Amino acid sequence: MSVPEGSLPWLFDFGRWIARTPYAWQFRIRVHGRDRVPLSGGVVVVANHSSMADGPILFGVLPRRVTFLIKQEMFANAVVGYLLRKIGQLPVKRGEADRTALTSALSVLKAGGVIGVFPEGTRGDGGVTSAQNGAAWLAKTSGAVVLPVACRGTYQAKGWRPPVDVLIGEPFHLPEGKGRAALGVATEQVRDRLATLVAELDGLRVSEVERR
């Protein structure tokens, strides 16, 4: 299956619809480059992270079912944890190589599914100044393509329905090579591509303000 074992595809899709609804009231969400999302095959989505809203927004607006690696603390509540698993999400221990989460994610990718990762590992200003190895490892091990996605406007958002922009970049394959050094090179490529995309989106948002 291209979704984790134990999840329910119909509930997965219903969850995506639910994810779109409240944020459509809270924000004016604008998606750029939706046609760049590969419609089949394994994909590792890498996104910047500056707000709790980022994950649900991307979960709802991306045109394919995305299984995100979510910090395990979000699964602590029995009801919430049960629902997150049923809509295809995976808990991951932060700050360490969580073999259980990575193995489950790898199975999804090898079945042609989509895994979403916030490579910064935690929320910040979303500028992607650092990245952890997990996303690059998943892409290299599975042979999946990497899809960078930038999200801006959720961080300390104020006012009535402020604009939130999602910019989907061009998918790319990581260079071949084994070992820790090769993984480090691949991780830096992931970080650089995503940081560049975030900077591009920042420029688009500034240009729009200046045109008003």
Side-chain angles (χ1 to χ4, degrees):
M1 291 179 65
S2 59
V3 294
E5 184 178 353
S7 62
L8 300 174
W10 70 267
L11 191 58
F12 204 130
D13 293 335
F14 182 66
R16 293 173 61 213
W17 179 81
I18 290 294
R20 288 192 293 270
T21 304
Y23 291 104
W25 285 98
Q26 185 176 353
F27 302 111
R28 285 186 293 121
I29 301 173
R30 305 176 296 196
V31 183
H32 315 270
R34 197 191 301 264
D35 60 329
R36 294 171 176 168
V37 179
L39 297 181
S40 62
V43 177
V44 177
V45 170
V46 292
N48 61 318
H49 199 20
S50 58
S51 167
M52 285 286 288
D54 297 334
I57 287 174
L58 298 181
F59 180 70
V61 303
L62 292 174
R64 291 182 64 183
R65 296 169 180 160
V66 184
T67 293
F68 280 95
L69 296 178
I70 301 174
K71 63 179 181 179
Q72 67 173 1
E73 290 85 352
M74 294 294 293
F75 293 75
N77 179 281
V79 175
V80 173
Y82 174 82
L83 289 174
L84 285 173
R85 287 184 173 88
K86 288 303 178 183
I87 62 172
Q89 308 309 286
L90 292 173
V92 62
K93 298 175 183 176
R94 293 187 296 176
E96 61 180 271
D98 188 337
R99 291 182 178 273
T100 299
L102 292 174
T103 299
S104 297
L106 200 58
S107 296
V108 170
L109 291 169
K110 289 183 175 180
V114 184
I115 291 292
V117 181
F118 297 107
E120 295 164 281
T122 187
R123 294 192 305 275
D125 66 3
V128 200
T129 57
S130 64
Q132 297 183 0
N133 291 331
W137 184 87
L138 284 170
K140 285 177 68 65
T141 304
S142 66
V145 70
V146 179
L147 183 71
V149 178
C151 183
R152 283 301 211 193
T154 58
Y155 182 64
Q156 297 181 346
K158 297 178 181 179
W160 170 246
R161 296 190 73 221
V164 168
D165 290 279
V166 175
L167 176 59
I168 299 168
E170 294 288 349
F172 65 95
H173 285 283
L174 291 174
E176 296 182 358
K178 297 181 179 180
R180 184 170 297 180
L183 180 59
V185 170
T187 297
E188 175 56 24
Q189 183 172 347
V190 168
R191 189 208 65 78
D192 181 68
R193 290 286 190 104
L194 181 55
T196 299
L197 189 69
V198 171
E200 179 183 345
L201 180 55
D202 286 343
L204 291 174
R205 285 168 61 87
V206 168
S207 296
E208 182 190 25
V209 171
E210 290 176 344
R211 287 195 300 267
R212 292 176 183 173

